[in-house]
Amino acid sequence: MNDPSGTAGATQAVSDRAMRLASIPSFQRIDAFLNESDYARRHLMPGACDFTLGNPHHMPADRYVNALRDALTPQNDQWFAYQTNGEAAREAAAESLQRLLAVPFRPEDIYLTTGGFAAIALALKTVADPGDEVIFSLPPWFLYEPLVLEAGLVPVKVNIDTMTFDLDLGAIEAAITERTRVVIVNSPNNPTGRIYPPELLRRLADLLDEASARIGRRIYLVSDEPYNRIVFDGLRFHSPVEFYPYTLLAYSYGKTHLSPGERVGYLALPPTMPRGEGMSRAITGLQVAMGWVYPNGLMQHALPELEKFSIDIGKLQRRRDRLADALGSMGYRVRRPEGTFYLYIPTPVPDDEAFTASLARRDVFVLPGQLFETPGFFRVSLTANEDMIERSLPAFEEAMKQSRQ
């Protein structure tokens, strides 16, 4: 007999696919932290020091606001029409990549997306089929696994060297199977702040070439690099695209301008990548089929101007130095990051969640390493303002002293 009320089938109201995604342990941990923990209840209270997410804690720069305001003014009757891969935006992005990486990107190599999330998802679905394996390193950006699983792919996790924060190439090689299709690399790395050096990237390229030949199918590399302009101490950033032509580069402007709520980014394919004529057609098809993942028209119109400036990297570096020096003097083992917004620091006690909770009781909020599947660490975001940094230092010192009792 039919059950028109639907009560008998209530447990089937949500698809198995959706339930699997919602049940990912790492996903559940970050959701619980943001919505159920002390952070959710207290981080917006007056006096709280919020070092959790890469969100702004200053008013946005006038130049950024003016770029969006100018882009909002229509220049023709098609200004607010459907926008796909806008020519002016692609040209600006390609020219910027040429300057940064000395790789001759062309406008047609750029596929515009709604931020870095969509660029990564687009890359995965372009080169991998359901059941293929995707290797990424721990600690990861905590949304790699949901993106991989949503694409019907199989996540394969390996550890990094937690002393140097470098990729463990031996672990990556050991994880490769006949089903491996993608390796994800994130440099400058969130959460460690490590920029992988050229020699390491060359060795990775050689490893992937040899492994591709061994298993009889090409292994692609997805280079997640939204922080590639946020580099300290005058260092030069090197991308895997300089060493491995089978690399798909995912970029987001949300970090460069500290505006993660304004969703614009791209997927870039180096002109050195051997590809069939069908790849471009496949990518543009996916941009539509994935839910029209092109940036909205306003952000595309603004993009040529957004390419001309960034947040104040010098100010960010000074915050890094202030916190690293102060925490180091208290006894924390701080490895100074070479880029990104973050410090990733070993906790002085094994239980990182207990330690970060002790900071939260003092109104200082950081992310425990458990959220990055690397217990025994905590992450500090340098996007906190200077007042938060100074007010937090006594709490960091008290928490360190308490850990030694």
Side-chain angles (χ1 to χ4, degrees), residues 21 23 72 78 85 89 162 186 199 201 212 228 349 385 397:
L21 291 171
S23 301
L72 188 60
Q78 296 298 297
N85 291 304
T162 54
N186 173 214
E199 179 54 32
L201 296 177
S212 297
N228 63 17
V349 295
N385 60 45
E397 188 163 23

Side-chain angles (χ1 to χ4, degrees), residues 86-97:
E87 182 178 352
R90 293 177 105 181
E91 288 177 353
E95 290 173 4
S96 177
L97 276 180

Side-chain angles (χ1 to χ4, degrees), residues 14-29 31 125 142-153 155:
V14 176
S15 69
D16 290 341
R17 173 176 170 272
M19 286 303 298
R20 283 196 300 272
L21 291 171
S23 301
I24 299 169
S26 59
F27 199 43
Q28 289 184 322
R29 283 194 293 267
D31 182 67
K125 292 181 178 181
F142 35 65
L143 293 179
Y144 286 147
E145 188 170 9
L147 290 175
V148 168
L149 290 173
E150 192 280 331
L153 308 173

Side-chain angles (χ1 to χ4, degrees), residues 118-391:
I120 296 167
L122 182 60
L124 293 174
K125 292 181 178 181
T126 295
V127 298
D129 287 310
D132 285 344
E133 295 175 352
V134 178
I135 297 172
F136 58 86
S137 296
L138 308 181
W141 177 54
F142 35 65
L143 293 179
Y144 286 147
E145 188 170 9
L147 290 175
V148 168
L149 290 173
E150 192 280 331
L153 308 173
V154 179
V156 178
K157 305 173 187 181
V158 300
N159 292 315
I160 63 165
D161 183 326
T162 54
M163 295 302 294
T164 65
F165 289 158
D166 274 335
L167 297 171
D168 186 335
L169 298 187
I172 292 173
E173 185 172 26
I176 292 173
T177 73
E178 292 183 354
R179 296 301 306 166
T180 302
R181 189 62 164 172
V182 174
V183 174
I184 300 176
V185 170
N186 173 214
S187 178
N189 182 264
N190 171 13
T192 68
R194 177 66 167 150
I195 296 176
Y196 301 133
E199 179 54 32
L200 182 67
L201 296 177
R202 287 191 191 95
R203 290 167 53 208
L204 175 63
D206 291 343
L207 184 161
L208 296 180
D209 264 334
E210 293 168 4
S212 297
R214 183 174 69 251
I215 67 174
R217 68 198 305 246
R218 174 56 57 183
I219 300 171
Y220 286 87
L221 195 155
V222 172
S223 183
D224 177 23
E225 46 189 79
Y227 300 94
N228 63 17
R229 273 78 161 176
I230 303 175
V231 175
F232 304 134
D233 302 314
L235 294 175
R236 179 172 181 265
F237 170 75
H238 288 276
S239 169
V241 300
E242 300 172 56
F243 308 97
Y244 191 65
Y246 298 93
T247 297
L248 299 90
L249 188 160
Y251 180 70
S252 168
Y253 292 85
K255 312 302 181 185
T256 311
H257 295 289
L258 194 48
S259 56
E262 300 303 322
R263 308 302 299 162
V264 59
Y266 57 74
L267 181 68
L269 276 58
T272 52
M273 178 189 287
R275 54 186 122 156
E277 293 182 1
M279 182 169 276
S280 178
R281 187 167 61 252
I283 294 175
T284 55
L286 282 168
Q287 285 175 292
V288 175
M290 288 170 59
W292 198 265
V293 297
Y294 302 103
N296 67 43
L298 172 66
M299 300 310 297
Q300 294 201 40
H301 297 319
L303 194 147
E305 180 63 21
L306 297 181
E307 277 287 7
K308 298 176 182 177
F309 65 99
S310 74
I311 58 173
D312 189 334
I313 306 301
K315 181 179 290 186
L316 201 63
Q317 181 172 320
R318 289 190 290 275
R319 290 186 208 147
R320 177 203 68 172
D321 292 341
R322 174 61 175 142
L323 262 176
D325 291 344
L327 297 181
S329 71
M330 297 172 194
Y332 292 93
R333 183 163 59 85
V334 181
R335 192 183 192 284
R336 206 170 295 250
E338 296 154 320
T340 75
F341 296 157
Y342 311 111
L343 303 176
Y344 201 55
I345 304 169
T347 50
V349 295
D351 189 338
D352 55 285
E353 291 183 307
F355 180 76
T356 57
S358 75
L359 287 172
R361 289 192 293 272
R362 296 173 170 88
D363 292 328
V364 172
F365 298 90
V366 300
L367 294 186
Q370 288 279 0
L371 297 183
F372 301 92
E373 301 179 67
T374 313
F377 286 82
F378 67 100
R379 193 190 77 172
V380 177
S381 175
L382 299 172
T383 61
N385 60 45
E386 286 77 4
D387 180 60
M388 288 179 181
I389 290 173
E390 296 305 321
R391 287 189 288 106

